[in-house]
Amino acid sequence: MTSPQRIHVIVLFGGESAEHDVSCVTAAHVLQALDTEKYRVTTVGITRQGQWVLVTAHATDKLLVSGTPISITEIVAQVRSDERAVVMPLLHGPLGEDGTIQGVLEVANIPYVGSGVLGSAVAMDKGVAKQLLAVNGIPQPKYVTLHEQHITDAALQHAIDTLGLPVFVKPANMGSSIGVTKARNFGELRDSIVLATSYDEWVLIEEAIVGREIEVAVLGNLTVRTSLPGEIIPSSEFYDYNDKYLSDSAQLKIPAPLTAIEIDAVQKLAAVVFHTLRAQGMARVDFFYEEGGRGFLCNEINTIPGFTPISMYPKLWQASGVSYSQLLDELLELAFDRHSRRRRNTAH
Ligand SMILES: Nc1ncnc2c1ncn2[C@@H]1O[C@H](COP(=O)(O)OP(=O)(O)O)[C@@H](O)[C@H]1O
Ligand SMILES: [Mg+2]
């Protein structure tokens, strides 16, 4: 149901995580694409120290978090009575994509784009997400999760015995390939663990999959649409931070060269992962494709996927017939839909 009220979009970006810079690039592009005829837009940045500021100067390629301090209460107070306010949290990583900001927005009673508290938190913690996928029988690489207090030489040797070599090591709570390394032997595994634990107290060790990297964009709440799959051909040994944001050298194949049967299979699996991990609004679900082996294996879900011009999520929708601005419109409507459903259940 649409309402004639003007929509006031509050773009929230920056943040305290290591992915601050990525968020600034995403925000600049979303701001450029938001139709200011249609929407009143307020831009709120979060500094690396966690201070919220009202940003008025807009750059076209990368936004800077600078402006006058503003609180969530002041933001809510600025919403006019003839407007419907909605927040677009364009924050990646911990304290942005992990349910914490979503909790603040729930308490402030403002609709927001994307997953709620639970879905965000589950998706952000790769260890918990894997356990949920496992109990639901969703195919994925073999893995071991460890808390730093249980990391011993014996535990690492046990991981190697279970998973073989090489292995991938990652912090449970991070993104953009930050802290992800491939370890070929015991010594490298130890080094990888030191790096991963500098980002999170929980780490993940996974068997190294030899396969293609296939990604699917999902859009919706209770019922979802899935995009055509895309494929990533990393320029280096794996799809690292440099490939994702700096060099533009990874190749994206959109749509991925797959048969109709393969496309159908991976789209169905993406929707199942989305619902299993309690995602809402949007998510990009990433797979490895072990051809001739186990088929599609879920790698991870991203509840706030990148939105830069070289990002997979908007490109996948474009290839599937949904333009960038249509995508933003739909995401805002999905935010209102979820909010009203949630309010119905919490307002007693
Ligand atoms: N188990 C694995 N086997 C093979 N490659 C992997 C594995 N895990 C991660 N990678 C490589 O590392 C990249 C980043 O890992 P990922 O788990 O997707 O972390 P992020 O959340 O930072 O994107 C992947 O895109 C892939 O290229
Ligand atoms: Mg990834």
Side-chain angles (χ1 to χ4, degrees), residues 27 34 100 118 173 251:
L34 278 176
T100 49
L118 179 64
N173 286 279
Q251 222 187 309

Side-chain angles (χ1 to χ4, degrees), residues 66-116:
S66 74
T68 42
I70 191 165
S71 69
I72 183 78
T73 335
E74 288 164 325
I75 294 168
V76 174
Q78 284 189 1
V79 177
R80 300 182 196 132
S81 57
D82 63 345
E83 291 177 336
R84 294 193 293 162
V86 55
V87 173
M88 279 202 96
L90 300 173
L91 302 157
H92 306 295
L95 298 177
E97 194 173 348
D98 65 351
T100 49
I101 287 285
Q102 288 74 13
V104 169
L105 299 171
E106 288 287 344
V107 173
N109 194 15
I110 310 180
Y112 54 91
V113 167
S115 291

Side-chain angles (χ1 to χ4, degrees), residues 126 177 215 239 244 284 286 299-300 302:
K126 290 189 171 113
S177 301
E215 306 191 339
Y239 193 33
K244 286 180 180 175
R284 200 192 67 231
D286 300 348
N299 173 30
E300 61 157 344
N302 289 281

